[in-house]
Amino acid sequence: MNILAGIELDFLGSRGFAWWALILCALGAALIAYGVMQRRRSPATPAGPAPDAADRTMLIAVVTGAASIAYGLGAALLPMMRAAPVAMAFMLTVSGMAVWLFYRRMFEYLGRFRLGVLFALRVLAVLSLLLLLFKPVLAFIKMPHHVNTVGIVVDASGSMSVSDQPNEPSRYLQSTLAARILMTELGKQVRVKCFAYDGKHNGPLASADEWNNIPPDGNVTDLPAAIKLATDNGCRQVVLFSDGIQNGPTKISSLAGGSVPVYTVRVGSTATQAKGVPDIQIVRVDGPQTAPVDTQVTLTAVIRSTALNDRTVEVYLRQNKATLMEHRLVLQSGPTPQLVHLKFTPHKVGRVVLDVHIPVVPEERTSAGNQQQFPMLITNPQIRVLYLEGRVRPEVGPLRNVLQMDPNINLVSMIRTRPNYFLMHGIREGDHLIGVPTTLKQWEMFKVIILGDESARFLSAGQQQEIKTAIAHGSGFLMIGGQHNFAAGDWGDSVLGPVFPINLQVTTPAQISLPFVPQLTAFGSQSPIFQGISQWFIGPAGTPAQQQLPPLAGCVAFAGAKPGATVLLTHPTALVNGKPAVVLAVEHYGKGRTAAFAADTTFRWQLMLRTMGDKSPYNRFWGQLIRWLAGESKVKTSNGPSVTAMIRKERYEPNEPVRLRVAVTDMHGQSTRYAQVQATITGPDGKDRVVHLTARQSQVGMYYRNIMPRGSGKYHVAFVASKDHQKLGTDATDFYVMAPGGEMDKLAAEPSELQRIARLTGGSYTELAGVGDLARIIKAALPPTAQVQRSSFALYNNRAFFLVFIGLMTAEWYFRRKWQLQ
């Protein structure tokens, strides 16, 4: 059953614009002439309008006439101005203005009623005459109950960016232009949906204009998947514009037996060879996945080129289209790639996506390989800490881990594992550190310096003097308990001795072996070092701790605090020189701050209370102590939870493992290794695979998992992390698996693949030049019940129009005579 879908009124067909454009120009010229004549006649006509009225008459006539001529000339040049209904409306307006100007001269002799009657009769007469001249056709359009939907799919893969001849439009541009022509031919018979297959767009486009905004840079051509994109969106016929280069995972044979005919249109030359085509490929970009803010980072771009030997190009490193660095490169075409090192300094915390870009040279026929993206996570460790430890002991691992987990601390650790050998972590490019710092500039890079169990012989007198100067300039200094440091390590007679807040005299015994929970002094209870955790310690008056803290195994016996120092913690029972044994003392030295901590078994707090995470008194104690030493006690400790995907590159080769990496912070902004992280991997076949990621021991807050992709194509990875049954966040990314060179390895069009698709689906194959005939083929294939019915009636042969025109002119003549008008 057909349904009335609309009524159309057409004028002069599609080629009659020249006729009414000529009429508009003639009418405009007449109006201009009339206005000029009226102005000249006005002074010599006593009964005529006043000079100012004549000026207005001339102005209106000239402006209206000029507009009429401009529209007529514009219609001859611009197709958008040739719409017959619009032209007729404009002509009727101009004609009405001409009639008004004609009768306006008689306004003084006629009342408003008589003038209105004559004006209406003349305008209606002009309207009937225009209808006769414009040959109106009335059409009734009936649409079928079920309208066929045709999907037009344009291949937007990288090979479609090729221009087969110099100065020729790309294959993609040729396809979109031809597709628009086809849409115009089919638009009144079927419903058309537009698609672009590049592996990124998964639904119909809003309009054909969106084709202009889609670059042909898809990494893989999967023609069956492109066809499925249209059929899944309700298309009963599919037109595919492509060069036929099939390198996707779906087999062409899977289209056999389908109920949707596919009409394939070949674009591109069959003679184009990839090796002879000038081309630049940025194969990949290597560099660190994470980096501290305001620290120089180096990325390495791996570049391969063909047929462009000795050509000089610029390699740009960009972020949000802003250039960070450029490097001039002389191309050496061949199988061996070239390396370009690009340096930049990030100034903003968070995930950034960098873009390595090489402008297209004139000889290139595709720009698909001239750009590569690289994601990075930029962190903001506001406090740089150097931890020097003389030996591996139980305190080392937990202390290093808790400082690494703090997002506001950037830790560099140097742990001596054997004589003259240090295990180093956290060295940044640009630090120029190959071991313990040897210059004042190197020491001053660190806001806090921590020394572990080492004697004064560990550092030379020069190094000690440099540390002393750095402290005076504002750095913080801390020594933690050990068997070979403080007084036992001869630090009292050292150059650095004056900075310690304690007396470095030898005591007997040198160690206190009684297990204990530290007791706060009155100053300690008010110190920012113990803010929020004082309830875990014995109070200043000996009041028991409100919450149970695992006891420390013992501590170094200090001879006492210096006169200018402040004692914050003491041993609750042990005495040294008749006073409570000092456990933690602090002091200001110059612009810096120093501390001496007698214990070395705080790892017990971490072991027993690790389930508390960042709320543990162990984490809080060390974090707040470091902040006090750095003079940064008000530094934010919470940036909120986050999940950041950090896959190394976008494209992988078949049988190459893919490392999934994600950075996680918890509800308090702390990097954590106690989160549960999983990834849902959606492969080219549409099937999901769930894997769990493992915390990386060497980098707190980073989780990873190696996977082996199953087949070539696009993969989508969605990450989700949670901790203590609280969701921390999600992130997602994509990567592709394809052969080396992939999409651009072969550029010669493959008509045989397109012919095979048409044969398997019951459609037809054509070249680009045959698109005009394709519309007729598609319409002929529509069942009668699915075709649009159009019934047209010519109105210009109707005698009624002529009789109405005669009647109106006669009526006007009668009233003019009756009212004694010329």
Side-chain angles (χ1 to χ4, degrees):
M1 176 180 178
N2 289 343
I3 303 171
L4 182 63
I7 301 175
E8 290 184 357
L9 189 62
D10 195 14
F11 301 91
L12 288 175
S14 60
R15 299 182 181 179
F17 67 91
W19 170 243
W20 50 255
L22 181 61
I23 294 176
L24 282 171
C25 290
L27 184 58
L31 281 170
I32 293 174
Y34 174 79
V36 173
M37 291 175 59
Q38 286 299 109
R39 182 68 184 87
R40 290 179 178 178
R41 291 174 56 188
S42 58
T45 307
D52 58 341
D55 289 339
R56 287 196 299 272
T57 300
M58 181 194 71
L59 181 62
I60 294 173
V62 171
V63 170
T64 306
S68 179
I69 293 174
Y71 192 95
L73 296 176
L77 301 174
L78 303 176
M80 66 182 66
M81 299 179 65
R82 298 174 186 173
V86 177
M88 180 180 173
F90 186 84
M91 186 176 293
L92 181 61
T93 302
V94 174
S95 301
M97 184 64 69
V99 174
W100 178 78
L101 289 171
F102 176 75
Y103 280 112
R104 183 178 181 276
R105 296 181 61 250
M106 303 179 183
F107 185 83
E108 295 183 1
Y109 307 102
L110 298 175
R112 292 183 181 274
F113 173 75
R114 292 182 177 183
L115 186 62
V117 170
L118 292 177
F119 179 78
L121 290 172
R122 179 62 65 92
V123 170
L124 290 174
V126 171
L127 176 62
S128 61
L129 180 61
L130 288 177
L131 289 175
L132 286 171
L133 293 174
F134 274 75
K135 298 182 180 181
V137 176
L138 184 66
F140 296 93
I141 302 172
K142 295 181 179 180
M143 299 294 290
H145 185 66
H146 296 288
V147 182
N148 261 32
T149 301
V150 175
I152 299 181
V153 183
V154 177
D155 181 358
S157 62
S159 62
M160 292 291 285
S161 66
V162 170
S163 298
D164 293 280
Q165 297 295 331
N167 302 319
E168 181 182 68
S170 68
R171 297 175 181 178
Y172 179 77
L173 181 56
Q174 293 182 58
S175 298
T176 58
L177 294 174
R180 291 174 186 273
I181 296 174
L182 184 61
M183 288 179 63
T184 302
E185 297 296 327
L186 294 176
K188 295 182 179 180
Q189 293 292 326
V190 297
R191 182 182 294 114
V192 177
K193 290 185 178 181
C194 306
F195 301 87
Y197 182 77
D198 57 358
K200 305 172 187 175
H201 293 79
N202 299 318
L205 306 179
S207 68
D209 293 336
E210 281 198 52
W211 276 325
N212 299 333
N213 301 324
I214 298 175
D217 57 2
N219 290 308
V220 64
T221 301
D222 194 333
L223 298 181
I227 296 167
K228 188 174 184 294
L229 177 63
T231 57
D232 286 350
N233 283 276
C235 298
R236 307 310 305 161
Q237 292 173 298
V238 177
V239 181
L240 174 64
F241 288 85
S242 176
D243 52 19
I245 301 174
Q246 165 68 11
N247 53 34
T250 311
K251 297 184 180 299
I252 298 292
S253 58
S254 65
L255 297 171
S259 59
V260 177
V262 179
Y263 303 91
T264 56
V265 182
R266 191 202 87 192
V267 188
S269 170
T270 59
T272 304
Q273 298 296 325
K275 291 183 179 180
V277 175
D279 184 47
I280 299 172
Q281 286 280 329
I282 302 176
V283 179
R284 68 178 186 274
V285 179
D286 296 326
Q289 295 290 300
T290 61
V293 70
D294 297 325
T295 301
Q296 189 179 75
V297 178
T298 300
L299 303 181
T300 301
V302 182
I303 299 170
R304 184 182 290 120
S305 61
T306 57
L308 288 171
N309 204 40
D310 296 328
R311 176 62 57 89
T312 301
V313 297
E314 297 291 338
V315 183
Y316 293 93
L317 178 64
R318 305 184 302 185
Q319 181 182 351
N320 297 328
K321 297 184 179 179
T323 300
L324 303 177
M325 180 187 174
E326 60 181 277
H327 178 90
R328 180 165 294 181
L329 174 67
V330 179
L331 296 175
Q332 300 297 324
S333 298
T336 304
Q338 295 175 265
L339 304 182
V340 174
H341 302 291
L342 302 168
K343 298 181 179 181
F344 81 106
T345 301
H347 299 293
K348 187 176 180 181
V349 175
R351 184 182 183 182
V352 299
V353 179
L354 302 168
D355 171 26
V356 179
H357 171 73
I358 301 176
V360 179
V361 300
E363 291 85 351
E364 279 192 280
R365 299 184 187 177
T366 175
S367 60
N370 292 56
Q371 182 172 308
Q372 186 74 264
Q373 292 184 334
F374 185 81
M376 287 188 68
L377 180 63
I378 307 302
T379 59
N380 185 24
Q382 300 178 24
I383 306 172
R384 291 207 77 190
V385 177
L386 174 62
Y387 176 27
L388 294 172
E389 182 59 75
R391 62 188 177 91
V392 178
R393 51 180 177 153
E395 188 79 341
V396 172
L399 178 57
R400 188 173 61 182
N401 288 340
V402 74
L403 297 181
Q404 286 177 336
M405 288 173 60
D406 195 314
N408 297 112
I409 294 176
N410 174 225
L411 177 68
V412 174
S413 61
M414 299 183 183
I415 313 301
R416 186 162 60 178
T417 57
R418 60 178 184 268
N420 299 321
Y421 180 81
F422 290 88
L423 184 64
M424 298 190 294
H425 288 282
I427 303 295
R428 300 188 309 201
E429 187 173 349
D431 287 346
H432 304 296
L433 280 177
I434 59 175
V436 178
T438 56
T439 65
L440 176 61
K441 183 178 179 180
Q442 290 178 337
W443 288 111
E444 288 187 333
M445 289 192 304
F446 302 99
K447 196 67 175 176
V448 177
I449 301 167
I450 303 176
L451 291 185
D453 193 12
E454 266 295 356
S455 68
R457 293 184 299 274
F458 174 61
L459 299 173
S460 68
Q463 289 174 311
Q464 294 184 38
Q465 181 59 51
E466 290 158 358
I467 295 177
K468 186 177 179 180
T469 303
I471 297 170
H473 289 172
S475 294
F477 173 77
L478 167 68
M479 180 174 282
I480 58 177
Q483 297 178 0
H484 308 290
N485 59 4
F486 290 114
D490 297 326
W491 284 99
D493 297 327
S494 69
V495 175
L496 197 57
V499 307
F500 286 80
I502 58 168
N503 293 319
L504 292 172
Q505 300 170 356
V506 177
T507 62
T508 304
Q511 298 281 334
I512 299 173
S513 58
L514 295 174
F516 70 102
V517 173
Q519 179 175 339
L520 289 167
T521 65
F523 291 106
S525 63
Q526 301 299 317
S527 172
I529 297 173
F530 297 96
Q531 183 179 358
I533 57 173
S534 60
Q535 68 273 20
W536 293 89
F537 297 86
I538 298 174
T543 54
Q546 299 175 26
Q547 293 178 274
Q548 186 175 359
L549 190 67
L552 300 176
C555 63
V556 177
F558 292 153
K562 287 182 177 178
T566 302
V567 177
L568 303 181
L569 288 179
T570 61
H571 195 292
T573 59
L575 299 176
V576 176
N577 297 332
K579 296 181 180 180
V582 176
V583 176
L584 175 62
V586 297
E587 185 181 21
H588 289 267
Y589 185 88
K591 295 181 181 179
R593 300 178 179 185
T594 65
F597 185 55
D600 66 346
T601 55
T602 60
F603 67 88
R604 293 188 171 194
W605 298 348
Q606 192 267 346
L607 291 174
M608 299 295 293
L609 302 173
R610 68 170 57 189
T611 56
M612 296 183 64
D614 58 283
K615 296 181 181 180
S616 164
Y618 178 78
N619 295 42
R620 296 285 296 274
F621 168 73
W622 282 109
Q624 291 171 180
L625 175 57
I626 294 299
R627 283 168 171 77
W628 184 88
L629 289 169
E632 303 277 352
S633 57
K634 295 183 180 180
V635 171
K636 294 181 180 179
T637 60
S638 176
N639 296 318
S642 66
V643 176
T644 306
M646 301 300 298
I647 290 183
R648 177 172 172 267
K649 57 183 181 178
E650 185 182 28
R651 173 175 149 176
Y652 292 82
E653 298 179 8
N655 301 319
E656 179 184 3
V658 177
R659 169 161 285 199
L660 306 180
R661 297 176 71 244
V662 62
V664 179
T665 59
D666 61 16
M667 300 302 294
H668 300 278
Q670 296 270 348
S671 298
T672 177
R673 63 166 48 131
Y674 302 113
Q676 293 76 47
V677 183
Q678 72 175 31
T680 302
I681 307 164
T682 305
D685 56 1
K687 296 181 180 179
D688 291 341
R689 172 187 172 195
V690 178
V691 298
H692 295 273
L693 279 68
T694 304
R696 187 173 181 179
Q697 297 300 315
S698 60
Q699 191 173 5
V700 178
M702 192 66 69
Y703 295 75
Y704 72 97
R705 174 70 179 264
N706 291 336
I707 64 167
M708 186 63 71
R710 302 169 180 173
S712 300
K714 176 185 176 182
Y715 289 78
H716 178 76
V717 187
F719 297 95
V720 60
S722 61
K723 181 184 177 186
D724 299 331
H725 307 291
Q726 285 186 302
K727 187 176 181 180
L728 300 178
T730 62
D731 198 7
T733 188
D734 297 326
F735 67 89
Y736 297 84
V737 175
M738 62 197 68
E743 179 66 23
M744 307 307 295
D745 266 355
K746 184 178 182 181
L747 299 179
E750 285 285 353
S752 59
E753 295 287 3
L754 299 174
Q755 292 167 355
R756 185 183 176 201
I757 291 173
R759 184 172 62 253
L760 290 173
T761 60
S764 65
Y765 164 83
T766 186
E767 307 290 339
L768 192 63
V771 169
D773 296 330
L774 185 58
R776 177 181 53 80
I777 296 173
I778 294 175
K779 291 177 183 179
L782 293 173
T785 56
Q787 295 187 9
V788 176
Q789 295 185 8
R790 187 185 185 90
S791 303
S792 301
F793 301 93
L795 301 180
Y796 52 86
N797 290 328
N798 196 321
R799 295 180 181 178
F801 281 99
F802 182 73
L803 294 176
V804 168
F805 174 72
I806 296 298
L808 291 169
M809 295 302 294
T810 302
E812 185 196 14
W813 175 83
Y814 169 76
F815 285 115
R816 287 169 62 86
R817 289 301 179 186
K818 181 179 178 181
W819 295 332
Q820 299 181 358
L821 298 174
Q822 293 183 356

